[in-house]
Amino acid sequence: MKDTILDANFPKTADGRVYHLGVKSGEVANRIVTVGSISRAKLIATYLDASPKPFSLYSERGFLTITGRYRGTPVSVVCIGMGGPSVDFFIREVRECLQGDMLVIRFGSCGCLTDLPVGSLVLPKASLAVTRNLDFDFANGDPWRVPYRLSKPIPADSDLILTLQRALESTRPVGASGLVVLNTVNASTDSFYSSQGRQTSFQDHNSGLIDNLKETIQDIATLEMETYWIFHLAASWRGLPSAEPALNPPRLSAGPVFSSAAPSESSHADPSRPPPRPAKDTVQQPTIRAAAVQMVFASRSSQEFITPEHVSLLEAWCGQAVLDALLAMDIPQDRLHLQEGSV
Ligand code: R1P
Ligand code: URA
């Protein structure tokens, strides 16, 4: 770290760069595809317009952000590595650099619990978290506790899924017969090994985990490590602080995105209370909308693992489809962060 950091609560440099991704306002677009590997990010970036030259920043902490235009529209590709904590840095820090709506498609790999063949593309309708219960006594066994916890599922953005499905079908390469699968549930885990039910030399108490997941979660199909955390943060974002000015002219909306359950102020008039703030639901708050496309790399039923050649084909296909889907999603002008600076 070479720059002075100004604020311990949300650390940023004097010129507004966030601490881990290293980007600042104007360097990230409202439409984002996030991946886990640098090579996948670079491949997707080859589809961006050559001019203006895409902006690229590889942060000291290993996050890569590439922002350019796809058919004239600003788009970012962000490589975050693996796991929930990386998602947390990504969503919070990018959100801090953006105004308006944030559309996120995660494009990653997964393991599959059903009989879908490797190379299938799964667009989960929802995702839950499977986490290791650290209070369980893993060394000695523990009759009182469960070794793994399952969260409630959180839905994906249904418009984004359908747009993604259409984009995948319309960019399908000639001869590619891979399945595009909807209406399944994903589980994001906190380990590639223990909480995905893999048997290793550690005492993980996970031999019944996959059967348990299949029994308790209807439509469960895929296991990976990030999707849930994206959906969870998208659903729990509370919008821009009320003090922050709206982008361009504020727009009245037909309905709130985050409904306010506040009681009517007029019936509780009390001079000792501060004047009511403008109702949050008269101006539509920006949103975070998210979906995922997951390439089945590992079949956990047949034990088959995908070949590198098959991965290349899928990445080229999906890389273009995710960009097409992001472009096809409408973001009203007043909810777009105008691109500045180097982008
Ligand atoms: C594990 O090999 C990694 O692959 C999957 C998992 O979620 C985990 O991050 O995703 P990526 O292909 O995006 O890396
Ligand atoms: N990614 C995962 O997280 N699990 C798999 O089995 C394959 C890819």
Side-chain angles (χ1 to χ4, degrees), residues 201-219:
S201 56
F202 289 80
Q203 302 191 70
D204 288 324
H205 299 266
N206 63 352
S207 56
L209 178 61
I210 288 183
D211 284 343
N212 183 249
L213 266 173
K214 287 176 165 172
E215 277 157 26
T216 43
I217 309 295
Q218 203 180 354
D219 301 325

mmCIF file with all atom_site columns, all heavy atoms in Angstrom, residues 201-219:
data_model
loop_
_atom_site.group_PDB
_atom_site.id
_atom_site.type_symbol
_atom_site.label_atom_id
_atom_site.label_alt_id
_atom_site.label_comp_id
_atom_site.label_asym_id
_atom_site.label_entity_id
_atom_site.label_seq_id
_atom_site.pdbx_PDB_ins_code
_atom_site.Cartn_x
_atom_site.Cartn_y
_atom_site.Cartn_z
_atom_site.occupancy
_atom_site.B_iso_or_equiv
_atom_site.pdbx_formal_charge
_atom_site.auth_seq_id
_atom_site.auth_comp_id
_atom_site.auth_asym_id
_atom_site.auth_atom_id
_atom_site.pdbx_PDB_model_num
ATOM 1   N N   . SER A 1 201 ? -8.460  -35.783 3.656  1.00 0.00 ? 201 SER A N   1
ATOM 2   C CA  . SER A 1 201 ? -7.809  -36.311 4.858  1.00 0.00 ? 201 SER A CA  1
ATOM 3   C C   . SER A 1 201 ? -8.215  -35.541 6.125  1.00 0.00 ? 201 SER A C   1
ATOM 4   O O   . SER A 1 201 ? -7.672  -35.792 7.194  1.00 0.00 ? 201 SER A O   1
ATOM 5   C CB  . SER A 1 201 ? -6.288  -36.244 4.664  1.00 0.00 ? 201 SER A CB  1
ATOM 6   O OG  . SER A 1 201 ? -5.913  -34.909 4.371  1.00 0.00 ? 201 SER A OG  1
ATOM 7   N N   . PHE A 1 202 ? -9.145  -34.620 5.998  1.00 0.00 ? 202 PHE A N   1
ATOM 8   C CA  . PHE A 1 202 ? -9.605  -33.860 7.172  1.00 0.00 ? 202 PHE A CA  1
ATOM 9   C C   . PHE A 1 202 ? -10.901 -34.454 7.728  1.00 0.00 ? 202 PHE A C   1
ATOM 10  O O   . PHE A 1 202 ? -11.663 -35.094 7.003  1.00 0.00 ? 202 PHE A O   1
ATOM 11  C CB  . PHE A 1 202 ? -9.812  -32.384 6.793  1.00 0.00 ? 202 PHE A CB  1
ATOM 12  C CG  . PHE A 1 202 ? -8.511  -31.681 6.553  1.00 0.00 ? 202 PHE A CG  1
ATOM 13  C CD1 . PHE A 1 202 ? -7.839  -31.826 5.349  1.00 0.00 ? 202 PHE A CD1 1
ATOM 14  C CD2 . PHE A 1 202 ? -7.922  -30.905 7.546  1.00 0.00 ? 202 PHE A CD2 1
ATOM 15  C CE1 . PHE A 1 202 ? -6.616  -31.211 5.132  1.00 0.00 ? 202 PHE A CE1 1
ATOM 16  C CE2 . PHE A 1 202 ? -6.706  -30.284 7.336  1.00 0.00 ? 202 PHE A CE2 1
ATOM 17  C CZ  . PHE A 1 202 ? -6.045  -30.438 6.125  1.00 0.00 ? 202 PHE A CZ  1
ATOM 18  N N   . GLN A 1 203 ? -11.099 -34.223 9.017  1.00 0.00 ? 203 GLN A N   1
ATOM 19  C CA  . GLN A 1 203 ? -12.310 -34.744 9.659  1.00 0.00 ? 203 GLN A CA  1
ATOM 20  C C   . GLN A 1 203 ? -13.434 -33.748 9.427  1.00 0.00 ? 203 GLN A C   1
ATOM 21  O O   . GLN A 1 203 ? -13.649 -32.846 10.231 1.00 0.00 ? 203 GLN A O   1
ATOM 22  C CB  . GLN A 1 203 ? -12.064 -34.945 11.145 1.00 0.00 ? 203 GLN A CB  1
ATOM 23  C CG  . GLN A 1 203 ? -10.901 -35.895 11.393 1.00 0.00 ? 203 GLN A CG  1
ATOM 24  C CD  . GLN A 1 203 ? -10.824 -36.293 12.842 1.00 0.00 ? 203 GLN A CD  1
ATOM 25  O OE1 . GLN A 1 203 ? -11.662 -37.020 13.340 1.00 0.00 ? 203 GLN A OE1 1
ATOM 26  N NE2 . GLN A 1 203 ? -9.808  -35.799 13.529 1.00 0.00 ? 203 GLN A NE2 1
ATOM 27  N N   . ASP A 1 204 ? -14.130 -33.943 8.313  1.00 0.00 ? 204 ASP A N   1
ATOM 28  C CA  . ASP A 1 204 ? -15.120 -32.950 7.904  1.00 0.00 ? 204 ASP A CA  1
ATOM 29  C C   . ASP A 1 204 ? -16.563 -33.343 8.224  1.00 0.00 ? 204 ASP A C   1
ATOM 30  O O   . ASP A 1 204 ? -17.468 -32.521 8.078  1.00 0.00 ? 204 ASP A O   1
ATOM 31  C CB  . ASP A 1 204 ? -14.985 -32.679 6.397  1.00 0.00 ? 204 ASP A CB  1
ATOM 32  C CG  . ASP A 1 204 ? -13.728 -31.885 6.079  1.00 0.00 ? 204 ASP A CG  1
ATOM 33  O OD1 . ASP A 1 204 ? -13.366 -31.010 6.881  1.00 0.00 ? 204 ASP A OD1 1
ATOM 34  O OD2 . ASP A 1 204 ? -13.109 -32.144 5.024  1.00 0.00 ? 204 ASP A OD2 1
ATOM 35  N N   . HIS A 1 205 ? -16.768 -34.582 8.598  1.00 0.00 ? 205 HIS A N   1
ATOM 36  C CA  . HIS A 1 205 ? -18.123 -35.039 8.950  1.00 0.00 ? 205 HIS A CA  1
ATOM 37  C C   . HIS A 1 205 ? -19.132 -34.667 7.867  1.00 0.00 ? 205 HIS A C   1
ATOM 38  O O   . HIS A 1 205 ? -20.204 -34.123 8.157  1.00 0.00 ? 205 HIS A O   1
ATOM 39  C CB  . HIS A 1 205 ? -18.541 -34.454 10.316 1.00 0.00 ? 205 HIS A CB  1
ATOM 40  C CG  . HIS A 1 205 ? -17.628 -34.910 11.409 1.00 0.00 ? 205 HIS A CG  1
ATOM 41  N ND1 . HIS A 1 205 ? -17.895 -36.021 12.186 1.00 0.00 ? 205 HIS A ND1 1
ATOM 42  C CD2 . HIS A 1 205 ? -16.424 -34.438 11.815 1.00 0.00 ? 205 HIS A CD2 1
ATOM 43  C CE1 . HIS A 1 205 ? -16.891 -36.199 13.048 1.00 0.00 ? 205 HIS A CE1 1
ATOM 44  N NE2 . HIS A 1 205 ? -15.985 -35.248 12.823 1.00 0.00 ? 205 HIS A NE2 1
ATOM 45  N N   . ASN A 1 206 ? -18.756 -34.933 6.628  1.00 0.00 ? 206 ASN A N   1
ATOM 46  C CA  . ASN A 1 206 ? -19.589 -34.484 5.511  1.00 0.00 ? 206 ASN A CA  1
ATOM 47  C C   . ASN A 1 206 ? -20.054 -35.619 4.609  1.00 0.00 ? 206 ASN A C   1
ATOM 48  O O   . ASN A 1 206 ? -20.513 -35.373 3.498  1.00 0.00 ? 206 ASN A O   1
ATOM 49  C CB  . ASN A 1 206 ? -18.822 -33.445 4.675  1.00 0.00 ? 206 ASN A CB  1
ATOM 50  C CG  . ASN A 1 206 ? -17.566 -34.030 4.048  1.00 0.00 ? 206 ASN A CG  1
ATOM 51  O OD1 . ASN A 1 206 ? -17.192 -35.166 4.363  1.00 0.00 ? 206 ASN A OD1 1
ATOM 52  N ND2 . ASN A 1 206 ? -16.923 -33.272 3.187  1.00 0.00 ? 206 ASN A ND2 1
ATOM 53  N N   . SER A 1 207 ? -19.961 -36.882 5.095  1.00 0.00 ? 207 SER A N   1
ATOM 54  C CA  . SER A 1 207 ? -20.295 -37.979 4.176  1.00 0.00 ? 207 SER A CA  1
ATOM 55  C C   . SER A 1 207 ? -21.777 -37.976 3.795  1.00 0.00 ? 207 SER A C   1
ATOM 56  O O   . SER A 1 207 ? -22.136 -38.467 2.722  1.00 0.00 ? 207 SER A O   1
ATOM 57  C CB  . SER A 1 207 ? -19.885 -39.321 4.767  1.00 0.00 ? 207 SER A CB  1
ATOM 58  O OG  . SER A 1 207 ? -20.501 -39.464 6.019  1.00 0.00 ? 207 SER A OG  1
ATOM 59  N N   . GLY A 1 208 ? -22.611 -37.403 4.659  1.00 0.00 ? 208 GLY A N   1
ATOM 60  C CA  . GLY A 1 208 ? -24.048 -37.396 4.317  1.00 0.00 ? 208 GLY A CA  1
ATOM 61  C C   . GLY A 1 208 ? -24.519 -36.062 3.756  1.00 0.00 ? 208 GLY A C   1
ATOM 62  O O   . GLY A 1 208 ? -25.715 -35.873 3.515  1.00 0.00 ? 208 GLY A O   1
ATOM 63  N N   . LEU A 1 209 ? -23.591 -35.162 3.533  1.00 0.00 ? 209 LEU A N   1
ATOM 64  C CA  . LEU A 1 209 ? -23.994 -33.792 3.186  1.00 0.00 ? 209 LEU A CA  1
ATOM 65  C C   . LEU A 1 209 ? -24.740 -33.701 1.847  1.00 0.00 ? 209 LEU A C   1
ATOM 66  O O   . LEU A 1 209 ? -25.789 -33.050 1.746  1.00 0.00 ? 209 LEU A O   1
ATOM 67  C CB  . LEU A 1 209 ? -22.753 -32.885 3.161  1.00 0.00 ? 209 LEU A CB  1
ATOM 68  C CG  . LEU A 1 209 ? -22.992 -31.426 2.775  1.00 0.00 ? 209 LEU A CG  1
ATOM 69  C CD1 . LEU A 1 209 ? -23.937 -30.737 3.738  1.00 0.00 ? 209 LEU A CD1 1
ATOM 70  C CD2 . LEU A 1 209 ? -21.670 -30.661 2.732  1.00 0.00 ? 209 LEU A CD2 1
ATOM 71  N N   . ILE A 1 210 ? -24.228 -34.372 0.828  1.00 0.00 ? 210 ILE A N   1
ATOM 72  C CA  . ILE A 1 210 ? -24.867 -34.251 -0.495 1.00 0.00 ? 210 ILE A CA  1
ATOM 73  C C   . ILE A 1 210 ? -26.261 -34.880 -0.466 1.00 0.00 ? 210 ILE A C   1
ATOM 74  O O   . ILE A 1 210 ? -27.230 -34.297 -0.961 1.00 0.00 ? 210 ILE A O   1
ATOM 75  C CB  . ILE A 1 210 ? -23.965 -34.865 -1.579 1.00 0.00 ? 210 ILE A CB  1
ATOM 76  C CG1 . ILE A 1 210 ? -22.773 -33.910 -1.779 1.00 0.00 ? 210 ILE A CG1 1
ATOM 77  C CG2 . ILE A 1 210 ? -24.719 -35.065 -2.885 1.00 0.00 ? 210 ILE A CG2 1
ATOM 78  C CD1 . ILE A 1 210 ? -21.804 -34.299 -2.857 1.00 0.00 ? 210 ILE A CD1 1
ATOM 79  N N   . ASP A 1 211 ? -26.382 -36.047 0.165  1.00 0.00 ? 211 ASP A N   1
ATOM 80  C CA  . ASP A 1 211 ? -27.713 -36.674 0.249  1.00 0.00 ? 211 ASP A CA  1
ATOM 81  C C   . ASP A 1 211 ? -28.665 -35.772 1.024  1.00 0.00 ? 211 ASP A C   1
ATOM 82  O O   . ASP A 1 211 ? -29.834 -35.619 0.661  1.00 0.00 ? 211 ASP A O   1
ATOM 83  C CB  . ASP A 1 211 ? -27.624 -38.037 0.935  1.00 0.00 ? 211 ASP A CB  1
ATOM 84  C CG  . ASP A 1 211 ? -27.056 -39.084 -0.012 1.00 0.00 ? 211 ASP A CG  1
ATOM 85  O OD1 . ASP A 1 211 ? -27.055 -38.826 -1.235 1.00 0.00 ? 211 ASP A OD1 1
ATOM 86  O OD2 . ASP A 1 211 ? -26.596 -40.140 0.469  1.00 0.00 ? 211 ASP A OD2 1
ATOM 87  N N   . ASN A 1 212 ? -28.155 -35.161 2.080  1.00 0.00 ? 212 ASN A N   1
ATOM 88  C CA  . ASN A 1 212 ? -28.983 -34.266 2.879  1.00 0.00 ? 212 ASN A CA  1
ATOM 89  C C   . ASN A 1 212 ? -29.457 -33.062 2.046  1.00 0.00 ? 212 ASN A C   1
ATOM 90  O O   . ASN A 1 212 ? -30.629 -32.663 2.114  1.00 0.00 ? 212 ASN A O   1
ATOM 91  C CB  . ASN A 1 212 ? -28.190 -33.818 4.109  1.00 0.00 ? 212 ASN A CB  1
ATOM 92  C CG  . ASN A 1 212 ? -29.019 -32.946 5.004  1.00 0.00 ? 212 ASN A CG  1
ATOM 93  O OD1 . ASN A 1 212 ? -28.761 -31.765 5.132  1.00 0.00 ? 212 ASN A OD1 1
ATOM 94  N ND2 . ASN A 1 212 ? -30.059 -33.517 5.602  1.00 0.00 ? 212 ASN A ND2 1
ATOM 95  N N   . LEU A 1 213 ? -28.560 -32.520 1.271  1.00 0.00 ? 213 LEU A N   1
ATOM 96  C CA  . LEU A 1 213 ? -28.938 -31.390 0.411  1.00 0.00 ? 213 LEU A CA  1
ATOM 97  C C   . LEU A 1 213 ? -30.013 -31.805 -0.587 1.00 0.00 ? 213 LEU A C   1
ATOM 98  O O   . LEU A 1 213 ? -31.002 -31.097 -0.789 1.00 0.00 ? 213 LEU A O   1
ATOM 99  C CB  . LEU A 1 213 ? -27.713 -30.925 -0.387 1.00 0.00 ? 213 LEU A CB  1
ATOM 100 C CG  . LEU A 1 213 ? -26.885 -29.788 0.174  1.00 0.00 ? 213 LEU A CG  1
ATOM 101 C CD1 . LEU A 1 213 ? -25.618 -29.604 -0.667 1.00 0.00 ? 213 LEU A CD1 1
ATOM 102 C CD2 . LEU A 1 213 ? -27.690 -28.500 0.187  1.00 0.00 ? 213 LEU A CD2 1
ATOM 103 N N   . LYS A 1 214 ? -29.822 -32.968 -1.193 1.00 0.00 ? 214 LYS A N   1
ATOM 104 C CA  . LYS A 1 214 ? -30.796 -33.430 -2.189 1.00 0.00 ? 214 LYS A CA  1
ATOM 105 C C   . LYS A 1 214 ? -32.160 -33.681 -1.552 1.00 0.00 ? 214 LYS A C   1
ATOM 106 O O   . LYS A 1 214 ? -33.187 -33.460 -2.173 1.00 0.00 ? 214 LYS A O   1
ATOM 107 C CB  . LYS A 1 214 ? -30.303 -34.707 -2.857 1.00 0.00 ? 214 LYS A CB  1
ATOM 108 C CG  . LYS A 1 214 ? -29.151 -34.502 -3.835 1.00 0.00 ? 214 LYS A CG  1
ATOM 109 C CD  . LYS A 1 214 ? -28.749 -35.870 -4.315 1.00 0.00 ? 214 LYS A CD  1
ATOM 110 C CE  . LYS A 1 214 ? -27.901 -35.902 -5.515 1.00 0.00 ? 214 LYS A CE  1
ATOM 111 N NZ  . LYS A 1 214 ? -27.397 -37.247 -5.806 1.00 0.00 ? 214 LYS A NZ  1
ATOM 112 N N   . GLU A 1 215 ? -32.129 -34.168 -0.298 1.00 0.00 ? 215 GLU A N   1
ATOM 113 C CA  . GLU A 1 215 ? -33.410 -34.453 0.379  1.00 0.00 ? 215 GLU A CA  1
ATOM 114 C C   . GLU A 1 215 ? -34.119 -33.181 0.812  1.00 0.00 ? 215 GLU A C   1
ATOM 115 O O   . GLU A 1 215 ? -35.339 -33.095 0.772  1.00 0.00 ? 215 GLU A O   1
ATOM 116 C CB  . GLU A 1 215 ? -33.172 -35.315 1.620  1.00 0.00 ? 215 GLU A CB  1
ATOM 117 C CG  . GLU A 1 215 ? -33.066 -36.794 1.305  1.00 0.00 ? 215 GLU A CG  1
ATOM 118 C CD  . GLU A 1 215 ? -32.306 -37.545 2.386  1.00 0.00 ? 215 GLU A CD  1
ATOM 119 O OE1 . GLU A 1 215 ? -32.291 -37.075 3.547  1.00 0.00 ? 215 GLU A OE1 1
ATOM 120 O OE2 . GLU A 1 215 ? -31.714 -38.586 2.051  1.00 0.00 ? 215 GLU A OE2 1
ATOM 121 N N   . THR A 1 216 ? -33.344 -32.186 1.255  1.00 0.00 ? 216 THR A N   1
ATOM 122 C CA  . THR A 1 216 ? -33.999 -31.019 1.866  1.00 0.00 ? 216 THR A CA  1
ATOM 123 C C   . THR A 1 216 ? -34.228 -29.857 0.907  1.00 0.00 ? 216 THR A C   1
ATOM 124 O O   . THR A 1 216 ? -35.127 -29.053 1.134  1.00 0.00 ? 216 THR A O   1
ATOM 125 C CB  . THR A 1 216 ? -33.205 -30.480 3.076  1.00 0.00 ? 216 THR A CB  1
ATOM 126 O OG1 . THR A 1 216 ? -31.828 -30.473 2.752  1.00 0.00 ? 216 THR A OG1 1
ATOM 127 C CG2 . THR A 1 216 ? -33.442 -31.245 4.316  1.00 0.00 ? 216 THR A CG2 1
ATOM 128 N N   . ILE A 1 217 ? -33.445 -29.747 -0.149 1.00 0.00 ? 217 ILE A N   1
ATOM 129 C CA  . ILE A 1 217 ? -33.581 -28.577 -1.025 1.00 0.00 ? 217 ILE A CA  1
ATOM 130 C C   . ILE A 1 217 ? -34.160 -29.024 -2.370 1.00 0.00 ? 217 ILE A C   1
ATOM 131 O O   . ILE A 1 217 ? -33.475 -29.664 -3.176 1.00 0.00 ? 217 ILE A O   1
ATOM 132 C CB  . ILE A 1 217 ? -32.214 -27.872 -1.254 1.00 0.00 ? 217 ILE A CB  1
ATOM 133 C CG1 . ILE A 1 217 ? -31.509 -27.592 0.079  1.00 0.00 ? 217 ILE A CG1 1
ATOM 134 C CG2 . ILE A 1 217 ? -32.395 -26.605 -2.082 1.00 0.00 ? 217 ILE A CG2 1
ATOM 135 C CD1 . ILE A 1 217 ? -32.217 -26.604 0.982  1.00 0.00 ? 217 ILE A CD1 1
ATOM 136 N N   . GLN A 1 218 ? -35.389 -28.618 -2.592 1.00 0.00 ? 218 GLN A N   1
ATOM 137 C CA  . GLN A 1 218 ? -36.047 -28.980 -3.842 1.00 0.00 ? 218 GLN A CA  1
ATOM 138 C C   . GLN A 1 218 ? -35.305 -28.334 -5.023 1.00 0.00 ? 218 GLN A C   1
ATOM 139 O O   . GLN A 1 218 ? -34.921 -27.158 -4.931 1.00 0.00 ? 218 GLN A O   1
ATOM 140 C CB  . GLN A 1 218 ? -37.480 -28.454 -3.802 1.00 0.00 ? 218 GLN A CB  1
ATOM 141 C CG  . GLN A 1 218 ? -38.381 -29.204 -4.731 1.00 0.00 ? 218 GLN A CG  1
ATOM 142 C CD  . GLN A 1 218 ? -39.794 -28.650 -4.676 1.00 0.00 ? 218 GLN A CD  1
ATOM 143 O OE1 . GLN A 1 218 ? -40.119 -27.788 -3.862 1.00 0.00 ? 218 GLN A OE1 1
ATOM 144 N NE2 . GLN A 1 218 ? -40.632 -29.153 -5.548 1.00 0.00 ? 218 GLN A NE2 1
ATOM 145 N N   . ASP A 1 219 ? -35.099 -29.064 -6.081 1.00 0.00 ? 219 ASP A N   1
ATOM 146 C CA  . ASP A 1 219 ? -34.475 -28.583 -7.322 1.00 0.00 ? 219 ASP A CA  1
ATOM 147 C C   . ASP A 1 219 ? -32.988 -28.262 -7.182 1.00 0.00 ? 219 ASP A C   1
ATOM 148 O O   . ASP A 1 219 ? -32.414 -27.614 -8.069 1.00 0.00 ? 219 ASP A O   1
ATOM 149 C CB  . ASP A 1 219 ? -35.192 -27.335 -7.873 1.00 0.00 ? 219 ASP A CB  1
ATOM 150 C CG  . ASP A 1 219 ? -36.652 -27.579 -8.172 1.00 0.00 ? 219 ASP A CG  1
ATOM 151 O OD1 . ASP A 1 219 ? -36.972 -28.700 -8.609 1.00 0.00 ? 219 ASP A OD1 1
ATOM 152 O OD2 . ASP A 1 219 ? -37.469 -26.667 -7.965 1.00 0.00 ? 219 ASP A OD2 1
#
